[in-house]
Amino acid sequence: PLRTEAHFRAVTGRDVELKWRPLDAPTERPRNLRGRLDELRDGALVITPAAPQESEDPGKAEPVTVPVAAVLEANLDHDFDAQP
């Protein structure tokens, strides 16, 4: 599990999975996000999603900024490539 800014700094450049909720919408359903953690800037994570959102061009995934305080759960996204 990733909990502190130091944890996130240590895994910059790797794939992560987040469950988060916008700070201005505390009753909203949590959102899931999977992608590469590009950087930690001013208390916020900048993540390039693994797959673009439905409304976006399939060739482009725009980075998403998520405040660390909005993260409910976070883990490394281990990509286990099982080969026969």
Side-chain angles (χ1 to χ4, degrees), residues 1-67:
L2 306 170
R3 293 189 177 102
T4 66
E5 288 191 18
H7 291 158
F8 289 111
R9 254 189 219 92
V11 298
T12 299
R14 297 183 61 189
D15 290 337
V16 294
E17 289 183 80
L18 301 179
K19 183 181 283 189
W20 67 286
R21 181 179 293 130
L23 296 174
D24 60 351
T27 59
E28 188 173 302
R29 173 180 284 161
R31 300 177 186 180
N32 294 312
L33 177 61
R34 174 184 272 168
R36 185 184 67 243
L37 175 58
D38 294 323
E39 65 179 309
L40 175 64
R41 177 180 32 188
D42 300 324
L45 307 171
V46 179
I47 298 172
T48 299
Q53 304 297 322
E54 291 178 22
S55 62
E56 295 178 4
D57 189 358
K60 274 189 213 176
E62 291 295 319
V64 176
T65 302
V66 177

